[in-house]
Amino acid sequence: MKASNSIGKFTDNTIQLTTTLFSKYVDKTNVSSWNSVIADFARSGDCVEALRAFSCMRKLSLRPDRSSFPCAIKSCSTLFDLRSGKQAHQQALLFGFESDLFVSSALIDMYSKCGEMRDARALFDEIPHRNVVSWTSMITGYVQNDNAHEALSLFKELLIEESENGGDGKGFIDSVAMVSVLSACSRLSGKGITEGVHGFVVKSGLVGELCVGNTLTDAYAKCGELGLSRKVFDEMAKKDTVSWNSLIVMYAQNGFSTEALEVFNGMLKNGDLSYNAVTLSAVLLACANSGALQMGKCIHDQVIKMGLEENVFVGTSLIDMYSKCGRVEMARKAFDHMKEKNVKSWTAMIAGYGMHGQAPKALEVFYEMFKVGIKPNYVTFISVLTACSHAGLLKEGWHWFNTMNHEFGVEPGVEHYACIVDLLGHAGHLNKAYDLIKGMKVRPDSVVWASLLSACRIHKNVELGEISARKLFEIDPSNYGYYVLLLNIYADAGRWRDVERMRMLMKNGGLVKPPGFSLVELKGKVHIFLVGDREHPEQVKIYKYLEKLTSKLQEFGYIPNMTSVLHDINEEEKEMTLRVHSEKLAVSFGILNSDPGTTIQVIKNLRVCGDCHTVIKLISKIVNREIVVRDSKQFHHFRNGLCSCGDYL
């Protein structure tokens, strides 16, 4: 934090001007009048003027009283002006007001906001008789400085002290203190801690306080207890915009997009509340995660009406939404429209191009980013390396992986290693990828080992496949996909005993294949398809059209890619299974129910298989349509028989 000296830096001319204006309206020799001016400036947010008035008063040799210091010190806090804060502390000490509860609490707050927690705690410990403001200031200070454990420890001290004094803390602790304690809970993952504090809230009779309910909702959400968070929300007698925002954000950030949008609709029906930038950013996140493009466009319209298009947080959310809904060109328009961009905005645009297989454009944005002086961070480099990984740009990816720490001070993490392992593995450098994993400074996770295992399947490397599979079985023994990948590596190598052994392991372990599904949005309604789906109302039309397409595919020389079907089913089932994969059903339905020439967009929860990739390429040529498929890894833009990924699956 930049320390200035707001109290001592004003010139005699400034003082003369201020005192001339001041004397015109009030008695400049009256300390109470000066105190009123200082307080008015501080309350209106003009902290520099508040400190200027305090300085003028001292230049006139007036003796400050206990009311002179709190607002002056709070102004130092707002400005993060440690030097002026220390000067105010010295003067409070000089005039005998350091032990005053309001002055000392203001000083604790000032030192905390300036990151000087030792000074804040030393001052707190010297207060002979603390009140709730003193305790709250110190607890809040720990929360603001990311020391939630110490904040809760201090809360425990407060309860013990109250108990020793014959109280139970219920009448002593107010809603402001409770908000600080619950904020500490929200920074820890322990459900039990939040539940314990919740119990105290109920006993204290503070459960009806709006600010307490909002913070409690957030605390449970941060602990991953979505059900308890919703229960608190539903039981709140009063709700404001913050209440609704907390719930929408909770659902959106945890992948429950439908629930987030339902809560937003409930907020709109309330009528008495107005939504804000936080609301719209959260709703855009829900649209992004679910691929709800039409809803996202409606929210964009509201953003424009409210004049929030240039808001850095909303603008970044628009970039993310359009990118994840398959409209990277619209994402770029939102990006270009922003006058102010932060590191998250630039990173979102890089990630957008990367997930659409447009690595050269992603790198162009990256180069432009540090040309304008924005320093890339940890997440930026994940986006850059992911873009290189999706496009197979090994040289560029390797360069930035080795440069990120030396030039930008960003230590590679597990996500960066996973991208490089994927790049090396796809390129056939399996031993180099394995050596990189062995030399990692952080512990490799399942994504790293899964990248190597997938590469071993592509290049039929049994030895490294077994090594990576063993590691994955230790990390996540219930993941069906890892067993199937190793089974197929054995099958490709003709090791049928090992294939049977893997089948038995999967059977005895009760492992079940997660259902693959695809969804397509048409006219604001989402249609979901499973493999071999016969539940859709238009299933007869869909299968008839798919048969027609299959005949045309064969005219183009299409031969089913049997390697796309995992070896855990019988050979005779393979071709039939390929024909009714969920993405083929979704694409067929989309073509049947949309106007000629319009883009078909499908979302697949798993990776698109090689056979479906080939088929959809050919379909895009046959029907002369752009077909966009978002799978669990990236976007595939199929146009005129080609795919944006360059067949780099």
Side-chain angles (χ1 to χ4, degrees):
M1 284 165 206
K2 186 178 179 181
S4 61
N5 186 0
S6 301
I7 287 180
K9 70 183 180 182
F10 304 110
T11 65
D12 291 336
N13 289 336
T14 301
I15 294 170
Q16 185 178 1
L17 177 62
T18 305
T19 52
T20 300
L21 292 170
F22 183 79
S23 61
K24 187 176 179 180
Y25 298 102
V26 290
D27 182 4
K28 68 177 182 179
T29 63
N30 186 291
V31 172
S32 296
S33 296
W34 281 103
N35 290 347
S36 296
V37 170
I38 294 166
D40 285 343
F41 278 133
R43 289 192 195 102
S44 66
D46 200 342
C47 297
V48 172
E49 287 299 324
L51 292 180
R52 180 179 287 141
F54 183 80
S55 179
C56 288
M57 182 183 73
R58 294 296 301 121
K59 291 283 185 180
L60 294 172
S61 299
L62 291 176
R63 182 184 178 87
D65 60 22
R66 67 187 296 269
S67 299
S68 306
F69 287 98
C71 287
I73 295 166
K74 285 177 183 176
S75 296
C76 297
S77 302
T78 303
L79 297 169
F80 302 105
D81 187 350
L82 181 60
R83 288 181 63 192
S84 293
K86 285 186 173 181
Q87 284 185 10
H89 187 180
Q90 289 168 356
Q91 292 191 39
L93 188 64
L94 178 67
F95 289 104
F97 295 119
E98 187 193 34
S99 59
D100 180 271
L101 284 173
F102 290 102
V103 174
S104 58
S105 296
L107 285 168
I108 290 168
D109 179 66
M110 182 275 296
Y111 280 121
S112 298
K113 282 195 168 73
C114 293
E116 300 294 326
M117 291 308 298
R118 287 186 180 180
D119 289 337
R121 186 58 191 256
L123 187 61
F124 175 80
D125 290 339
E126 289 172 6
I127 300 173
H129 303 289
R130 307 176 189 117
N131 66 1
V132 66
V133 179
S134 314
W135 286 95
T136 303
S137 297
M138 195 66 239
I139 292 169
T140 303
Y142 280 126
V143 174
Q144 289 170 344
N145 285 272
D146 296 322
N147 197 338
H149 287 286
E150 202 63 45
L152 292 173
S153 176
L154 192 62
F155 176 59
K156 188 177 179 181
E157 281 184 43
L158 166 58
L159 296 180
I160 292 170
E161 187 173 294
E162 274 295 288
S163 177
E164 290 173 349
N165 292 335
D168 57 6
K170 288 189 286 187
F172 184 76
I173 297 170
D174 61 11
S175 61
V176 179
M178 216 62 251
V179 165
S180 293
V181 174
L182 287 168
S183 295
C185 294
S186 71
R187 286 162 170 78
L188 301 173
S189 58
K191 170 191 170 187
I193 298 171
T194 303
E195 285 185 321
V197 175
H198 186 182
F200 182 85
V201 167
V202 174
K203 289 178 183 177
S204 303
L206 296 171
V207 73
E209 295 287 340
L210 181 60
C211 57
V212 174
N214 286 341
T215 315
L216 185 57
T217 301
D218 181 64
Y220 275 128
K222 296 279 175 60
C223 294
E225 294 295 329
L226 276 60
L228 289 173
S229 181
R230 181 61 188 258
K231 188 171 185 289
V232 171
F233 174 85
D234 289 340
E235 291 174 353
M236 289 172 65
K238 293 181 181 179
K239 300 179 182 74
D240 61 4
T241 301
V242 174
S243 316
W244 290 91
N245 284 352
S246 295
L247 205 65
I248 295 168
V249 169
M250 175 190 78
Y251 281 130
Q253 289 183 343
N254 285 277
F256 293 92
S257 299
T258 302
E259 289 80 357
L261 296 175
E262 285 175 356
V263 174
F264 178 60
N265 286 330
M267 183 182 184
L268 295 179
K269 289 175 184 176
N270 187 282
D272 297 330
L273 296 170
S274 59
Y275 45 84
N276 56 23
V278 175
T279 319
L280 297 181
S281 293
V283 175
L284 286 168
L285 175 61
C287 293
N289 291 339
S290 62
L293 178 62
Q294 295 307 315
M295 181 66 173
K297 286 181 175 179
C298 291
I299 299 300
H300 191 178
D301 289 340
Q302 292 301 313
V303 168
I304 295 169
K305 288 177 184 177
M306 294 173 67
L308 292 171
E309 213 171 5
E310 293 178 7
N311 179 288
V312 68
F313 301 107
V314 176
T316 302
S317 297
L318 282 169
I319 295 166
D320 182 59
M321 184 276 292
Y322 279 121
S323 295
K324 289 179 179 173
C325 288
R327 299 294 187 270
V328 71
E329 299 85 3
M330 295 291 291
R332 183 57 192 251
K333 285 181 181 178
F335 177 79
D336 290 338
H337 196 82
M338 294 171 66
K339 289 183 179 178
E340 179 193 349
K341 302 180 184 78
N342 62 15
V343 65
K344 290 184 179 179
S345 314
W346 288 91
T347 299
M349 195 65 250
I350 294 166
Y353 277 130
M355 70 178 71
H356 286 271
Q358 299 183 33
K361 287 186 178 180
L363 292 175
E364 279 178 20
V365 175
F366 180 54
Y367 299 145
E368 186 64 27
M369 177 183 179
F370 49 80
K371 276 183 186 175
V372 299
I374 303 292
K375 184 180 178 182
N377 62 16
Y378 187 95
V379 181
T380 308
F381 279 105
I382 294 175
S383 298
V384 169
L385 295 178
T386 300
C388 293
S389 175
H390 287 170
L393 301 182
L394 178 57
K395 182 181 176 182
E396 292 84 350
W398 188 250
H399 166 75
W400 288 114
F401 178 76
N402 289 296
T403 304
M404 56 187 286
N405 190 16
H406 302 304
E407 289 192 16
F408 299 97
V410 179
E411 187 74 28
V414 67
E415 299 93 341
H416 306 105
Y417 279 102
C419 292
I420 296 302
V421 169
D422 184 66
L423 268 170
L424 290 169
H426 261 78
H429 304 297
L430 298 179
N431 288 320
K432 191 173 181 179
Y434 182 48
D435 289 340
L436 182 69
I437 295 173
K438 289 191 290 184
M440 283 174 63
K441 294 180 181 179
V442 291
R443 186 176 181 179
D445 67 359
S446 59
V447 180
V448 173
W449 288 112
S451 296
L452 182 60
L453 181 60
S454 296
C456 290
R457 167 81 203 276
I458 294 168
H459 297 286
K460 300 178 172 53
N461 189 311
V462 177
E463 182 184 355
L464 287 180
E466 288 179 326
I467 291 171
S468 51
R470 278 197 295 269
K471 293 290 185 182
L472 287 164
F473 297 159
E474 291 173 10
I475 297 169
D476 187 4
S478 61
N479 191 304
Y480 177 92
Y482 303 148
Y483 292 86
V484 173
L485 276 172
L486 183 58
L487 181 152
N488 281 276
I489 291 171
Y490 285 141
D492 289 338
R495 291 173 52 167
W496 302 112
R497 286 187 180 179
D498 288 318
V499 168
E500 189 57 34
R501 179 171 60 85
M502 293 306 299
R503 288 186 193 278
M504 291 304 298
L505 275 174
M506 293 159 67
K507 183 178 179 180
N508 295 336
L511 301 180
V512 180
K513 183 178 181 180
F517 65 84
S518 297
L519 59 87
V520 59
E521 181 187 9
L522 285 174
K523 299 174 183 176
K525 186 178 178 181
V526 175
H527 300 263
I528 300 175
F529 295 90
L530 301 174
V531 60
D533 203 327
R534 293 281 181 179
E535 298 297 320
H536 195 277
E538 296 186 33
Q539 58 99 1
V540 175
K541 279 175 64 180
I542 293 167
Y543 277 90
K544 195 171 181 180
Y545 184 68
L546 192 54
E547 278 185 34
K548 182 180 174 183
L549 279 177
T550 302
S551 299
K552 289 186 178 181
L553 289 170
Q554 289 168 350
E555 291 174 14
F556 278 80
Y558 163 69
I559 299 172
N561 180 1
M562 296 298 189
T563 60
S564 297
V565 183
L566 301 175
H567 288 284
D568 64 335
I569 64 171
N570 296 327
E571 194 70 26
E572 61 270 17
E573 297 175 349
K574 290 182 180 180
E575 186 172 350
M576 184 54 67
T577 301
L578 283 173
R579 285 186 185 179
V580 293
H581 273 191
S582 64
E583 52 265 59
K584 290 172 184 169
L585 298 175
V587 166
S588 298
F589 173 78
I591 295 169
L592 280 170
N593 290 275
S594 59
D595 296 329
T598 57
T599 299
I600 305 299
Q601 184 155 324
V602 173
I603 297 176
K604 175 78 185 284
N605 69 321
L606 305 175
R607 293 278 293 275
V608 64
C609 75
D611 184 75
C612 286
H613 191 267
T614 300
V615 167
I616 298 172
K617 278 199 303 181
L618 292 172
I619 290 175
S620 72
K621 189 171 184 178
I622 291 167
V623 300
N624 194 26
R625 298 272 200 110
E626 179 181 1
I627 302 170
V628 180
V629 177
R630 167 182 155 187
D631 69 9
S632 61
K633 185 181 180 184
Q634 65 189 100
F635 276 87
H636 302 268
H637 292 257
F638 299 95
R639 296 186 191 94
N640 197 31
L642 300 173
C643 180
S644 58
C645 75
D647 299 339
Y648 190 79
L649 298 175

